[in-house]
Amino acid sequence: MDLSMGSGGASGDEQETSNSRKGKKAYHRHTSRQIQQLEKYFKDCPHPDDNQRRQLSKELGLDPKQIKFWFQNKRTQTKAQNERADNSVLRAENERIQCENLAIREALKNVICPSCGGPPFGEEERQHSLQKLQLENAQLKEEHEKVSGLLAKYIGKPISQLDSLLPMHGSPMEYMPVGLRNQRTGSPSLDLELNPGFLAHHIPMPYHLKGIPEMEKALMHETAASAMEELIRLLRISEPLWIKSQSDGKYVIHRDSYDKVFPRTNHFKGSNARIESSKESVMVAINALNLVEIFLDPNKWVDLFPTIVTKASIIQVLETGMLGNRSGSLQLMYEQMHILSPLVPPREFYFLRHCQQIEGATWVIADVSYDCLKETILSSRSWKLPSGCMIEELPNGFSKVTWIEHVEVDDKTQTHRLYRDLICGSSAYGAERWIAALQRVCERLAFSFRETLPTRDFGGVTCCPLLIAHCSVITSTEGRRSLMKLSHRMVRSFCAMLSMSGKLDFPQLSEVNNSGVRVSVRKSTEPGQPGGLIVSAATSLWLPLPPQNVFSFFKDEKTRVQWDILSNGKPVHEIAHISNGTHPGNCIAIIRPFVPSENNMLMLQESCTDPSGSLVVYAPVDIPSMNIAISGEDSSIIPILPSGFVISGDGRPDAGNVASTSANAGRTGGSLLTVAFQILVSTPTSTSSSFSTKEMNMESVATVNTLISSTVQKIKAALNCSNLD
């Protein structure tokens, strides 16, 4: 039995060996035929799991272990090849650096003076240069001490207390706390004798000395291209990336779906960080290419959106784009945005703006934040994710604009309670507000080119003969455009004033529904404004009324006597009227107040309204200047100092259901009203000492504070809200 088993075993071994040889040959023939498929699969998936290996074994006729070992060997082989290639590159780079090092050493042995071509400085010359630099350094330190003492005189604090908070760039006053005041005397700290531009808000400009490095430019191009690709997908895909909000029915980004398609890390960390997203479309009366040109010009951009954009500038143009359509344009920009209230700090962005013509008559403008400051100055608390708009040209000269806003915000400093719902509800800076402002300004532009517009009959109102001589020609194209340009500049100046950098707080009105009075003092030397010392004051308050009711109250000339202190309790008359929109509230008016001491003075007023809010802005203009405007001459030389009102919803639901006569209505919805005045308190012809007299400063501040406080009380009384806390 043992022998037979042994014999059988030997025979079995021989048979197994023979079969193994045949199997190996078959295996080699098989892998030779299927090697391309294995290589192709390895490129797609170098780490197959068990299921994938079993599937491959069925397809290729191999054992799963053979598949497993083949992939292990292939990975090892690939890793070794990559390491050899990297080593070769590093060795070549090392040899190149060594050659450069030797060449530099040889060149240093024969160095010459770059200015005269002579031999290098000796020790004596070097010591002389060092002494000269030390002397210049001492002079600079002395000048620094003088300037520091001057600053401490006006700031009320030693400049050393501010050094730790200030960056290397920009003026110290740029980063002063909002409520800056002299803590010891209680009087406001005012800059009245220094350079007028010293206290102006300075836009930190990165790369202003050395320019943008080439590697940085390549990264900017890559960032802009990626943002353009993401924005196009967001514009063209609805669900599941976009869903309707249950609170207001507006489109917002579905976070889970977005994160799966565009995975990224949050720019801000912490509980105060949030993301705002919105999408809106509209048709506007403007040529698509003209709109593209406006978007790429910062001055036109601010002029198009004065109620949203305070400042804008191009830091550097990276690509000018193709002639005729601007496709491919790429520029690094700065932008400051606001919501027309001194209570809310502006949002600042350094961003890339990329323009691409994706079809014959369709452009996409993509914006995305770019960290170009590199921690050198105080960073912004807002980060723009890929946002922008698609502009489609329509046959009738109109354009269809689809707008997307997608921003990450860090509310480290909590938003003021009055504006919390409006800001956190994504209404303040959302796509709806941009679209409403765009639609409004395009409508205004279209009305300026109409040949005939309705004007109001004078009805026997007594007026200056010089003005009456020109009133009939306001309907002319030149006169209407000149007056509309003057009015637009007035509105833009008013909106810019509301940022009130360096403002002072007067908390007398700081109650539940009020915000106190903010006062700002500046020395004006800008063209288009009266020269001298200007005091600006603003306050914001909540009213339990629908925004449209509040707008109608200020728009009506018959109710002006109830709040306008300058009317002296007497009615005013609208002597000219130009419509600049289909809504009756969108118009420009010339108003004549009955003030005996101001017979030579008129009031230019513009009122405008759209779904995002309303404005009523006015400014005194003397009759000779008004004649210049309505006769069609250049109105840019006319100095103007506007005041006015900003009305918007408060961001709460059911704003229209609040009883207008209830001062204690439940805070389920209402209006936010900002009241702002500007007063010229002295002119350049005044004595220079008056600019530095503290008593005059305090008197001016007290006057404008009293003016705005009494106006607010009159408004509350007229709207039956006197009992509002």
Side-chain angles (χ1 to χ4, degrees):
M1 179 178 293
D2 294 338
L3 184 60
S4 64
M5 290 178 62
S7 176
S11 176
D13 291 339
E14 291 176 2
Q15 185 177 0
E16 183 178 354
T17 302
S18 176
N19 292 335
S20 176
R21 291 173 182 173
K22 292 179 181 180
K24 289 182 178 181
K25 291 180 180 179
Y27 166 67
H28 288 298
R29 288 196 301 272
H30 187 77
T31 55
S32 176
R33 289 194 304 268
Q34 302 298 328
I35 191 65
Q36 293 182 354
Q37 296 184 22
L38 285 169
E39 293 284 354
K40 181 179 179 181
Y41 196 91
F42 180 82
K43 293 179 181 179
D44 297 333
C45 181
H47 294 273
D49 55 21
D50 292 339
N51 293 331
Q52 292 170 324
R53 288 198 296 268
R54 282 195 294 270
Q55 182 66 25
L56 274 176
S57 68
K58 291 180 181 180
E59 294 177 1
L60 303 179
L62 297 176
D63 187 83
K65 290 186 177 180
Q66 291 178 316
I67 298 292
K68 178 180 179 181
F69 295 148
W70 187 91
F71 273 90
Q72 288 179 351
N73 294 336
K74 185 64 177 178
R75 288 193 296 268
T76 304
Q77 181 184 5
T78 303
K79 182 179 179 182
Q81 290 175 352
N82 293 337
E83 289 178 351
R84 285 195 295 271
D86 292 342
N87 289 337
S88 299
V89 173
L90 291 174
R91 280 195 295 269
E93 183 70 14
N94 189 27
E95 291 176 359
R96 184 185 64 81
I97 293 174
Q98 288 179 351
C99 292
E100 291 182 356
N101 194 14
L102 291 174
I104 292 173
R105 289 181 180 179
E106 291 298 325
L108 288 174
K109 294 179 181 179
N110 301 315
V111 68
I112 61 175
C113 177
S115 59
C116 65
F121 286 134
E123 185 63 25
E124 183 177 353
E125 291 86 352
R126 191 174 290 108
Q127 290 295 330
H128 177 72
S129 299
L130 182 61
Q131 292 177 359
K132 183 179 179 181
L133 290 174
Q134 290 174 344
L135 180 61
E136 292 178 356
N137 192 25
Q139 293 175 348
L140 290 174
K141 286 183 178 179
E142 183 178 356
E143 292 180 6
H144 178 266
E145 291 176 357
K146 291 181 180 179
V147 174
S148 298
L150 186 61
L151 286 173
K153 176 182 177 182
Y154 290 100
I155 295 174
K157 294 182 180 179
I159 196 65
S160 60
Q161 296 182 11
L162 303 174
D163 288 342
S164 61
L165 302 176
L166 296 179
M168 295 298 294
H169 306 290
S171 65
M173 294 301 292
E174 175 188 348
Y175 304 99
M176 286 296 160
V178 169
L180 182 63
R181 63 176 69 86
N182 190 317
Q183 300 293 339
R184 291 171 294 179
T185 63
S187 59
S189 301
L190 307 174
D191 175 56
L192 304 174
E193 295 180 334
L194 297 177
N195 188 331
F198 184 78
L199 291 181
H201 183 79
H202 170 68
I203 301 175
M205 289 297 177
Y207 313 117
H208 67 287
L209 293 177
K210 299 181 180 179
I212 303 177
E214 291 301 321
M215 292 184 63
E216 193 83 6
K217 288 183 179 179
L219 182 58
M220 290 179 179
H221 279 82
E222 181 180 350
T223 303
S226 177
M228 175 65 70
E229 180 182 355
E230 178 176 329
L231 180 61
I232 292 175
R233 296 179 69 180
L234 289 174
L235 286 164
R236 289 180 168 173
I237 300 175
S238 296
E239 295 181 355
L241 289 179
W242 293 93
I243 59 173
K244 280 192 175 182
S245 172
Q246 296 180 356
S247 60
D248 53 16
K250 298 177 181 178
Y251 281 101
V252 296
I253 287 179
H254 187 266
R255 300 314 316 169
D256 293 338
S257 300
Y258 175 84
D259 292 338
K260 290 179 182 178
V261 180
F262 307 106
R264 63 175 183 82
T265 57
N266 293 331
H267 190 76
F268 298 117
K269 309 293 183 182
S271 59
N272 295 322
R274 71 173 188 276
I275 294 178
E276 300 175 1
S277 62
S278 54
K279 180 181 180 182
E280 191 62 62
S281 297
V282 73
M283 283 196 304
V284 291
I286 190 171
N287 178 267
L289 188 56
N290 290 344
L291 194 55
V292 170
E293 292 289 348
I294 292 174
F295 276 53
L296 299 178
D297 187 323
N299 293 326
K300 295 179 180 178
W301 175 252
V302 176
D303 206 52
L304 188 68
F305 297 104
T307 59
I308 303 178
V309 183
T310 311
K311 297 180 178 69
S313 61
I314 294 178
I315 298 175
Q316 184 158 341
V317 176
L318 302 170
E319 297 290 344
T320 57
M322 298 177 61
L323 292 176
N325 62 10
R326 300 303 301 272
S327 182
S329 172
L330 177 61
Q331 50 199 32
L332 179 64
M333 298 183 65
Y334 169 85
E335 179 183 57
Q336 185 185 91
M337 297 163 50
H338 61 168
I339 65 166
L340 302 183
S341 173
L343 301 183
V344 183
R347 288 185 179 180
E348 295 180 294
F349 296 99
Y350 290 88
F351 65 100
L352 296 166
R353 173 160 288 180
H354 186 27
C355 173
Q356 194 72 42
Q357 187 177 14
I358 60 175
E359 295 173 2
T362 302
W363 287 262
V364 175
I365 308 289
D367 295 344
V368 61
S369 283
Y370 189 81
D371 188 11
C372 56
L373 301 180
K374 308 300 183 186
E375 304 297 334
T376 57
I377 65 174
L378 302 179
S379 59
S380 172
R381 307 312 303 173
S382 303
W383 187 263
K384 189 184 289 290
L385 300 171
S387 305
C389 65
M390 177 184 290
I391 305 170
E392 303 174 66
E393 186 174 352
L394 301 179
N396 57 358
F398 280 57
S399 299
K400 180 183 178 182
V401 180
T402 303
W403 201 293
I404 287 177
E405 281 297 309
H406 195 193
V407 181
E408 190 174 352
V409 182
D410 184 12
D411 265 344
K412 221 169 190 180
T413 304
Q414 290 296 318
T415 305
H416 194 280
R417 63 184 180 277
L418 289 182
Y419 286 85
R420 196 165 298 157
D421 293 298
L422 187 66
I423 299 292
C424 297
S426 302
S427 299
Y429 297 104
E432 297 83 3
R433 186 181 176 208
W434 286 97
I435 285 294
L438 176 63
Q439 193 173 22
R440 171 72 196 100
V441 74
C442 288
E443 183 185 49
R444 188 184 195 277
L445 183 63
F447 266 68
S448 68
F449 286 94
R450 290 194 177 184
E451 293 298 327
T452 58
L453 285 174
T455 56
R456 181 164 297 182
D457 188 6
F458 299 106
V461 175
T462 303
C463 188
C464 173
L466 289 176
L467 186 63
I468 289 180
H470 293 289
C471 281
S472 59
V473 301
I474 296 181
T475 54
S476 69
T477 302
E478 295 78 10
R480 187 171 67 251
R481 289 180 186 174
S482 178
L483 194 64
M484 292 182 75
K485 285 182 180 179
L486 176 62
S487 184
H488 180 72
R489 178 162 62 86
M490 175 182 68
V491 172
R492 179 173 172 175
S493 176
F494 174 77
C495 294
M497 176 269 294
L498 284 174
S499 60
M500 295 183 68
S501 58
K503 58 183 176 291
L504 310 169
D505 292 343
F506 286 81
Q508 293 92 333
L509 296 180
S510 295
E511 300 165 353
V512 176
N513 297 316
N514 294 326
S515 63
V517 178
R518 268 68 175 173
V519 179
S520 176
V521 183
R522 71 182 189 275
K523 184 178 178 182
S524 174
T525 58
E526 300 177 5
Q529 289 187 1
L533 191 65
I534 296 175
V535 178
S536 305
T539 185
S540 296
L541 63 151
W542 180 83
L543 296 172
L545 302 168
Q548 195 59 43
N549 290 11
V550 180
F551 172 69
S552 299
F553 169 76
F554 288 110
K555 171 66 180 63
D556 190 355
E557 62 181 275
K558 297 178 182 178
T559 60
R560 191 182 188 100
V561 67
Q562 300 182 42
W563 57 265
D564 191 357
I565 297 177
L566 299 179
S567 67
N568 200 26
K570 297 180 180 180
V572 300
H573 291 277
E574 188 178 286
I575 62 175
H577 175 101
I578 297 177
S579 296
N580 57 18
T582 55
H583 191 285
N586 292 327
C587 63
I588 300 171
I590 300 177
I591 299 172
R592 182 176 185 269
F594 279 106
V595 182
S597 61
E598 298 291 342
N599 290 328
N600 194 40
M601 191 62 63
L602 299 171
M603 197 75 69
L604 177 66
Q605 175 175 294
E606 175 160 350
S607 59
C608 58
T609 182
D610 58 51
S612 66
S614 306
L615 286 173
V616 177
V617 183
Y618 58 91
V621 180
D622 57 44
I623 290 180
S625 297
M626 191 70 75
N627 282 327
I628 292 176
I630 63 179
S631 62
E633 299 181 37
D634 183 13
S635 61
S636 62
I637 62 174
I638 300 175
I640 199 162
L641 192 64
S643 301
F645 306 93
V646 183
I647 307 110
S648 69
D650 58 5
R652 298 184 180 91
D654 301 324
N657 297 332
V658 182
S660 62
T661 58
S662 175
N664 298 317
R667 295 291 292 274
T668 57
S671 302
L672 294 174
L673 172 66
T674 295
V675 185
F677 289 117
Q678 293 190 97
I679 296 178
L680 181 68
V681 297
S682 62
T683 63
T685 57
S686 305
T687 58
S688 59
S689 61
S690 65
F691 279 97
S692 58
T693 303
K694 185 176 297 184
E695 290 75 11
M696 187 275 294
N697 299 338
M698 287 305 300
E699 182 181 356
S700 303
V701 170
T703 299
V704 74
N705 184 31
T706 302
L707 173 62
I708 198 168
S709 300
S710 59
T711 301
V712 167
Q713 297 303 324
K714 287 177 176 289
I715 293 171
K716 288 182 179 181
L719 295 174
N720 295 326
C721 297
S722 298
N723 296 329
L724 189 66
D725 292 334

